[in-house]
Amino acid sequence: MSDDEQRGRRSASVHRVGGPLGDLQAPQEGPAAPRRRADAVRNRAQILAAAEQLFGEQDPRTVTMDRIAKAAGVGRATLYRSFPDPSSVAVALLDEHERRLQGRLIYGPPPLGPGAPAAERLAAFYLAMLDLLEHHLPLALGAEVGPDRYATGAYGFWRVHVRTLLIDARSPDPDAAIDVVLSPLAPELYRFQRHELGLSQDRIAASLTGLARRLLAPLPAG
């Protein structure tokens, strides 16, 4: 495993700000502490389940904290103790799906995991990301639209992965190319292609896998 991939592995454990309970503060220890922790876990599960349904049913930009609290059956104070805004709820939901993909990139079989040529790994990464966008586009739009997506831990992980592939393919300037290689995976672009242009996932996938193989084609010897 390369140094870059090892750094990516470490970043998987600090994928986003907050621990497994989001931004909840650790309860004070005492006789009631286990009960408070159990309540926090249950409330968080209710919030995420309700929010995922809301994000899937309507434009993510119209989802409010009031609607999430009502759908989850929790009070506003409970919701705000865990999440400051709807975007942070979407981030927590998307985080679960992205963590699984990160694990496959580090530990999975080739071509998505280590052991395949860089071009084939990039093609497999594109396919995996398209599948994630296809199934969780409302979450991606709610969590990672515009400049905010560049500040997420997930985007940092994708950058490390793509940089490793560019270096393996002997790209002349990998640091300048990383974000260009990732740009076709912007959620806004995928929504435009799928839902405004009406392109199928298969057509987009064929275009991106072809692009990956051209970008990272082995350099001629000599």
Side-chain angles (χ1 to χ4, degrees), residues 38-100:
D39 289 345
V41 171
R42 185 187 66 250
N43 288 338
R44 185 176 189 272
Q46 290 176 203
I47 290 166
L48 294 181
E52 185 152 28
Q53 183 172 351
L54 289 174
F55 282 122
E57 290 174 347
Q58 62 191 78
D59 185 333
R61 293 169 296 184
T62 68
V63 175
T64 65
M65 293 294 272
D66 280 343
R67 297 195 65 180
I68 294 173
K70 289 177 183 177
V74 301
R76 284 169 51 90
T78 297
L79 176 59
Y80 278 104
R81 277 197 298 271
S82 301
F83 303 102
D85 51 43
S87 176
S88 66
V89 182
V91 164
L93 284 164
L94 190 62
D95 179 67
E96 299 299 323
H97 304 297
E98 291 179 331
R99 279 182 184 272
R100 286 193 283 271

Side-chain angles (χ1 to χ4, degrees), residues 35-212:
R35 174 61 184 273
R36 286 196 292 267
R37 285 194 290 268
D39 289 345
V41 171
R42 185 187 66 250
N43 288 338
R44 185 176 189 272
Q46 290 176 203
I47 290 166
L48 294 181
E52 185 152 28
Q53 183 172 351
L54 289 174
F55 282 122
E57 290 174 347
Q58 62 191 78
D59 185 333
R61 293 169 296 184
T62 68
V63 175
T64 65
M65 293 294 272
D66 280 343
R67 297 195 65 180
I68 294 173
K70 289 177 183 177
V74 301
R76 284 169 51 90
T78 297
L79 176 59
Y80 278 104
R81 277 197 298 271
S82 301
F83 303 102
D85 51 43
S87 176
S88 66
V89 182
V91 164
L93 284 164
L94 190 62
D95 179 67
E96 299 299 323
H97 304 297
E98 291 179 331
R99 279 182 184 272
R100 286 193 283 271
L101 176 53
Q102 290 172 0
R104 292 164 62 200
L105 289 170
I106 297 170
Y107 303 111
L112 186 59
E120 295 308 311
R121 291 198 71 191
L122 180 60
F125 172 61
Y126 275 154
L127 292 179
M129 286 295 293
L130 289 185
D131 193 58
L132 188 150
L133 288 172
E134 180 69 18
H135 290 95
H136 305 292
L137 184 59
L139 293 180
L141 289 168
E144 296 185 349
V145 171
D148 289 344
R149 73 186 295 256
Y150 302 113
T152 65
Y155 191 79
F157 185 97
W158 309 143
R159 292 189 89 255
V160 169
H161 179 62
V162 168
R163 184 177 188 273
T164 298
L165 300 182
L166 289 165
I167 291 172
D168 287 349
R170 293 187 291 167
S171 170
D173 191 352
D175 290 321
I178 296 170
D179 300 295
V180 175
V181 173
L182 285 169
S183 62
L185 300 174
E188 306 98 315
L189 176 60
Y190 191 73
R191 177 177 60 182
F192 175 71
Q193 291 179 309
R194 287 287 283 123
H195 301 294
E196 296 189 37
L197 297 182
L199 299 178
S200 69
Q201 183 183 354
D202 287 342
R203 287 183 67 186
I204 299 170
S207 175
L208 288 186
T209 53
L211 175 64

